[in-house]
Amino acid sequence: MASSGEKHTVKKYKGFGTASIHCGMEFDPHTGAVMTPISLSTTFAQKSPGVKYPAEYEYSRSGNPTRDAMEENLAGLENADAAISFASGLAATAGIIHCLEPNSHVIVTDDVYGGTQRFFRRIATQYGHTFSFVDFTKEGALEEAFQENTRLVWAESPTNPTLKICDIAAVSEIAHRHGALCCVDNTFMTPYYQQPLVLGADIVMHSATKYLNGHSDVVMGIVATSNPDMIEKLRFNQNAVGAVPSPFDCYMMMRGLKTLHLRMRAHGANAGVIAKLLESHDKVDRVVYPGLESHPQHEIAKKQCHGFGGMVTFFIKGGLDGAKAFLENLKVFTLAESLGGVESLAEHPVIMTHASVPAEHRAVLGIDDSLIRLSVGTEDIEDLVQDISNALDAVQL
Ligand code: P1T
């Protein structure tokens, strides 16, 4: 696993950590302030109608200095020419779908986040788009799903919550061969562990609410791309629809990003220990973690990622009763939705994050009552191990 970013390629800087701290960050020329200020003004003075001051700002929905600095930082981290921010991950997803021509067909990883599925199935279809949900890990399945009007392949890797991994280079190549773009939801790995644009994808999308911010106090979405047509359309959409993040949230995001490399290393190290502990425990049926040799796509993960991330999924013995007993007895892990913060969280996808996915579809994906998802935080590993062990002890079989 890379510790100093030597395996990472980041525009402008050799090391990922240097990029997370410095990309887009310039001290304020007026005051010398080292940290980018929070620019709260909604409007900007003009010299004469239509003649702006050199910074070119006019209205904060259309452009904001704090947001610009944050977007430049994120573009650098994802090796993109531009990053365009939105008020949430789902707003970012909507922004990408808005760029498609009417009645487009999209091929989607079958196990995407429940809210993404809900948006595709219940909102985007109202505008004439159609979606095929496909298991990208199944040989030939993606190739077979293309239609004449397929314009986009939407991959989430690892998926939420079953942590399936697709070969991003191969998926991108297939998409391009069929004249479609490839978008990867990189929320779980972050650019620290996985850089989809370097692997061949055209667009990267993030729920920045998660690891990018890292402190569970901002809701935001990011799209990063070097495709000029997409940059133009996304920028237009950002202003025309107006689902923009606030300057305060952009400031918080930048603050979080400065420690992304440090946090991700700690998440990855802790998750690896927890995954092994669970795998050897007699109250656990099965563990899914990309870093375990037992993970079906472990070799792909080793090839395309710089590490294995902080998310661990496992199937507990005792069904729903077992899952409830475990979750009710955690003391350091908090039972809550979301993920990617420094604090450890545990959740039950069937009842919580994936309740909006139709039950028949959940059954096909293997999301059942015994599935528990852990977002392993950056606390001291001894405390996390103790907490998981105690909670497993409370499960009666
Ligand atoms: O919550 P929001 O910022 O709108 O992002 C949506 C989203 C998109 N993609 C992935 C992979 C996600 O995990 C999410 C949000 N997920 C949760 C809230 C969750 O607990 O899984």
Side-chain angles (χ1 to χ4, degrees):
M1 192 184 302
S3 62
S4 64
E6 67 275 7
K7 276 177 72 187
H8 300 72
T9 48
V10 170
K11 279 178 188 166
K12 270 169 79 169
Y13 298 102
K14 275 197 188 139
F16 189 94
T18 314
S20 20
I21 294 167
H22 291 289
C23 257
M25 303 298 140
E26 276 165 23
F27 67 84
D28 181 1
H30 302 297
T31 62
V34 172
M35 289 299 129
T36 308
I38 309 178
S39 203
L40 289 174
S41 188
T42 54
T43 188
F44 298 83
Q46 306 194 10
K47 289 180 194 163
S48 167
V51 182
K52 294 168 223 160
Y53 283 92
E56 286 288 319
Y57 292 107
E58 54 187 34
Y59 184 59
S60 224
R61 166 163 43 73
S62 323
N64 173 277
T66 316
R67 192 172 87 204
D68 278 0
M70 176 199 72
E71 289 180 345
E72 200 179 313
N73 184 289
L74 283 158
L77 299 185
E78 282 290 8
N79 275 284
D81 285 350
I84 298 97
S85 56
F86 293 88
S88 69
L90 282 174
T93 298
I96 296 167
I97 298 300
H98 280 144
C99 294
L100 299 176
E101 61 191 69
N103 306 316
S104 291
H105 174 246
V106 182
I107 306 174
V108 188
T109 311
D110 57 355
D111 183 24
V112 282
Y113 165 61
T116 307
Q117 292 210 30
R118 183 177 51 200
F119 173 74
F120 287 162
R121 288 179 196 275
R122 298 186 49 190
I123 304 280
T125 47
Q126 292 179 29
Y127 298 90
H129 299 311
T130 50
F131 296 83
S132 298
F133 293 87
V134 169
D135 184 350
F136 287 12
T137 66
K138 234 188 185 166
E139 186 79 32
L142 172 59
E143 194 90 50
E144 273 171 29
F146 281 88
Q147 299 176 7
E148 215 174 285
N149 59 337
T150 305
R151 298 284 174 265
L152 184 67
V153 173
W154 185 283
E156 190 176 288
S157 186
T159 59
N160 180 0
T162 62
L163 304 180
K164 284 197 289 195
I165 287 176
C166 70
D167 185 330
I168 293 171
V171 169
S172 304
E173 188 276 318
I174 295 171
H176 295 160
R177 190 152 32 80
H178 290 270
L181 295 176
C182 175
C183 174
V184 177
D185 183 332
N186 201 25
T187 299
F188 274 28
M189 282 298 179
T190 81
Y192 181 70
Y193 282 134
Q194 174 171 280
Q195 297 180 319
L197 299 186
V198 175
L199 295 165
D202 305 282
I203 306 161
V204 174
M205 175 265 154
H206 278 277
S207 169
T209 315
K210 312 297 189 283
Y211 289 105
L212 293 184
N213 179 59
H215 296 76
S216 304
D217 49 12
V218 169
V219 174
M220 194 186 293
I222 300 291
V223 185
T225 178
S226 297
N227 179 304
D229 180 50
M230 283 303 291
I231 294 172
E232 195 188 322
K233 286 178 173 156
L234 286 160
R235 280 259 171 258
F236 180 79
N237 180 280
Q238 186 189 41
N239 182 43
V241 175
V244 290
S246 74
F248 181 75
D249 283 353
C250 294
Y251 175 85
M252 296 289 278
M253 184 64 58
M254 278 192 283
R255 189 179 164 113
L257 287 168
K258 286 181 198 299
T259 56
L260 179 63
H261 56 304
L262 305 175
R263 289 186 281 107
M264 291 316 292
R265 277 178 217 154
H267 283 295
N270 281 354
V273 174
I274 298 295
K276 284 199 186 109
L277 164 76
L278 290 168
E279 199 171 45
S280 64
H281 204 284
D282 59 6
K283 297 219 174 118
V284 172
D285 248 340
R286 188 161 64 87
V287 185
V288 191
Y289 180 65
L292 293 176
E293 281 179 20
S294 57
H295 188 289
Q297 294 90 39
H298 177 60
E299 290 306 317
I300 299 175
K302 276 203 308 199
K303 185 181 73 171
Q304 74 184 11
C305 304
H306 306 302
F308 304 112
M311 300 301 296
V312 179
T313 289
F314 71 101
F315 296 83
I316 199 161
K317 289 186 180 160
L320 186 58
D321 288 344
K324 280 190 173 163
F326 174 80
L327 292 166
E328 286 165 4
N329 281 282
L330 290 167
K331 299 264 182 316
V332 180
F333 279 78
T334 302
L335 174 59
E337 297 198 8
S338 202
L339 58 110
V342 288
E343 69 292 334
S344 291
L345 301 180
E347 70 113 5
H348 190 266
V350 167
I351 298 175
M352 297 166 72
T353 50
H354 288 66
S356 67
V357 178
E360 330 71 84
H361 193 57
R362 280 202 309 261
V364 172
L365 297 173
I367 303 171
D368 64 28
D369 281 342
S370 65
L371 191 159
I372 290 169
R373 187 187 77 181
L374 301 178
S375 170
V376 181
T378 63
E379 299 94 336
D380 292 303
I381 188 62
E382 298 77 13
D383 291 324
L384 298 182
V385 165
Q386 178 93 60
D387 198 35
I388 296 280
S389 305
N390 289 348
L392 284 170
D393 285 346
V395 175
Q396 307 289 329
L397 294 180

